[in-house]
Amino acid sequence: MATLLFKLAFLAILTSTVSSSFTPSFFNWINATFGEPTAVSLNRADLGAGGSFGGGTHNGLSQTSKRPILIVHGITNTAGTFNNQRNYFLANGWSDETVYGTTYGDGGATAVQNVKMDCAFVMQVRNMLIVVNGFTQQKVDVIGYSLGSPIARKAIMGGNCVDNG
Ligand SMILES: *[C@@H]1O[C@H](CO)[C@@H](O)[C@H](O)[C@H]1NC(C)=O
């Protein structure tokens, strides 16, 4: 019982501290390696705390001890929609250096029936894959939810979209 309470308290602390954008070391590494537009567009600070997550205190100069996970959210979601799933991994052996998310699209501002599978969504996820792969120096495991699945698939296959040739 005490252990369970401890775990719940620990989860509560995690939940309250992990709703954030990229950590400074990750943001700065992207900025230094790929430039500010890439860092800003993947960080999605425009969406607030749920726009993105990941990075931990890793500096990008070595391989992370574990293969990272990239969670790709569904239609009209944000990365933060998957905080529970993120917390699950953080509580089960993954660290903030190895669980990542970014947001494609406008996080629900556009009504669901008007959202199409935009090439920009695919490229957002592809850029995120490239950045996480470079930063962790590891292959990346990808979990896609709903629309996030076909988008992640296209991103993995090279990012070719109908509207970019
Ligand atoms: C990105 O890096 C450049 C060059 O070091 C720096 O001038 C700029 O302030 C950085 N941008 C942010 C948002 O940290």
Side-chain angles (χ1 to χ4, degrees), residues 27-28 31-32 36 40:
F27 183 91
N28 291 335
N31 185 27
E36 193 172 83
V40 169

Side-chain angles (χ1 to χ4, degrees), residues 26 29 33-34 38 42 70 123-138 140 155 158:
F26 185 38
W29 183 89
T33 311
F34 294 95
T38 301
L42 292 178
L70 173 60
M123 296 317 294
Q124 176 80 353
V125 173
R126 181 160 178 82
N127 289 338
M128 186 66 180
L129 272 174
I130 290 169
V131 161
V132 172
N133 167 252
F135 186 65
T136 62
Q137 299 182 23
Q138 292 267 21
V140 182

Side-chain angles (χ1 to χ4, degrees), residues 74-156:
I75 196 165
T76 68
N77 296 166
T78 65
T81 307
F82 288 80
N83 260 334
N84 286 345
Q85 288 73 16
R86 178 190 180 205
N87 288 336
Y88 173 84
F89 288 114
L90 294 180
N92 285 278
W94 282 261
S95 68
D96 199 35
E97 301 183 347
T98 51
V99 185
Y100 292 86
T102 186
T103 300
Y104 61 82
D106 59 17
T110 302
V112 64
Q113 67 271 19
N114 295 326
V115 178
K116 58 185 170 59
M117 192 157 154
D118 202 323
C119 184
F121 300 170
V122 177
M123 296 317 294
Q124 176 80 353
V125 173
R126 181 160 178 82
N127 289 338
M128 186 66 180
L129 272 174
I130 290 169
V131 161
V132 172
N133 167 252
F135 186 65
T136 62
Q137 299 182 23
Q138 292 267 21
K139 290 185 178 181
V140 182
D141 288 328
V142 179
I143 299 173
Y145 173 77
S146 190
L147 181 64
S149 302
I151 286 185
R153 179 175 175 275
K154 276 179 175 279
I156 291 165

Side-chain angles (χ1 to χ4, degrees), residues 2-27:
T3 311
L4 178 65
L5 280 177
F6 176 77
K7 279 185 178 164
L8 286 175
F10 183 65
L11 261 184
I13 292 166
L14 269 181
T15 308
S16 61
T17 54
V18 296
S19 323
S20 59
S21 304
F22 295 152
T23 59
S25 71
F26 185 38
F27 183 91

